[in-house]
Amino acid sequence: MLRWCTDEVEPHERFDYWREVRSKGLFGVTAELERERRADFFGEFSLRQLGGAGLVELKASPYAVERSTSDIANAPGDAICVYQQLGSGGWFGGLRGGDFSIANGSFATSHTDLPYRTAPLGAEGFHLRILKIPMSSIPAQDKRMRELAPRTFGDPTLAPLLGACFADLNEAADDVALDATSLVQALAHLVQIERGIVRPGSRRGQAALRTARLSQARRLIARHLQDPHLAPTMVADLLEVSVRHLHMLFETAEKSFSQTVTDERLKQSRRLLREAPERLIADIAASCGFESLATYYRVFSAAYGMAPGDFRAQASDGH
């Protein structure tokens, strides 16, 4: 992973470095900010290569960004970008389809080699994730993909699926059970579904929706772990699919629904054992959704070869 922050540069050079080296050199855009505001400028970003794509998370104080025709000529990208707005919102302009804003939690997409201008809407500046998927890594290319001018996702049913895929992709580097390549391909095809290039019922459309719904199911499991009645019926209802369809989603995964629930509960309990040494083990077991302390001890010992108390002792010793 590449991480960079303006704290690494002298204050009077921070915006100039961000504009010339990071914005123009790395992202292929032109950054502008009034000279009197540059002394207070702050920016940071991370860049990870996952599943054949680049995932950027960027935070910065307010400034204006343009991807002009000359920027595109100097640094062509030939990629699809999916933007997840994490901050107070952003504005896009200079487009054939007119200006638009993207709210916190919303998504937008575009092809890299179409011009645009953008700026944050709030005083706190930019905070967003950008997934850049090279066209060369997307199977069965369609020329319409190179005509994707920046636009928000208009289909509300896709937003939770996009959010789940982005959340899983953000964790994929630390969780070997998550298939980053499948997540990237699913996001690429969800973009095409939203823009009418791929039909939801087609083979590629169905595969993308399966991957995204599996991610969404995992996120729902994590959100309801403390509920001892967490069951396939509950998650299927939240996903608005049948229980049979839910189990079919997990057939393609490494773990079944029940194995995923147990694994997530164990991971959460391990975190709590490390981070809350004063908390009673019985309280941790209950808060993670285990039906009894005896069940928790049995499952934990089978998974890790030691009792929860021994794991806590090792963690406190720095092992």
Side-chain angles (χ1 to χ4, degrees), residues 14 50 72 74 111 132 134 136 141 144 161 171 177 184 219 221 224 229 236 283-284 289 310:
R14 285 175 182 172
L50 294 166
I72 294 164
N74 291 330
H111 187 271
K132 189 175 180 180
S136 58
Q141 293 183 26
R144 289 174 291 176
L161 299 177
E171 296 172 9
V184 167
R219 311 310 296 186
I221 287 170
H224 294 277
H229 304 296
D283 183 34
I284 288 175
D310 295 331

Side-chain angles (χ1 to χ4, degrees), residues 110-184:
S110 70
H111 187 271
T112 53
D113 297 346
L114 294 172
Y116 66 86
R117 295 192 305 273
T118 185
L121 289 175
E124 61 267 40
F126 286 107
H127 186 194
L128 70 159
R129 290 195 188 110
I130 308 165
L131 181 68
K132 189 175 180 180
I133 311 170
M135 288 285 290
S136 58
S137 71
I138 303 174
Q141 293 183 26
D142 186 299
K143 66 178 183 180
R144 289 174 291 176
M145 292 164 64
R146 291 187 170 86
E147 300 168 0
L148 298 182
R151 198 175 80 190
T152 53
F153 278 76
D155 186 343
T157 65
L158 290 178
L161 299 177
L162 290 161
C165 285
F166 257 92
D168 271 0
L169 193 60
N170 198 45
E171 296 172 9
D174 303 316
D175 189 339
V176 294
L178 297 172
D179 183 349
T181 301
S182 293
L183 290 166
V184 167

Side-chain angles (χ1 to χ4, degrees), residues 40 88 96 111 207 239 271 281 295:
D40 299 323
S88 57
R96 285 176 297 182
H111 187 271
L239 277 176
R271 181 179 60 78
I281 290 176
T295 299

Side-chain angles (χ1 to χ4, degrees), residues 91-101 149-151:
W91 166 86
F92 276 82
L95 313 166
R96 285 176 297 182
D99 298 1
F100 69 88
S101 61
R151 198 175 80 190

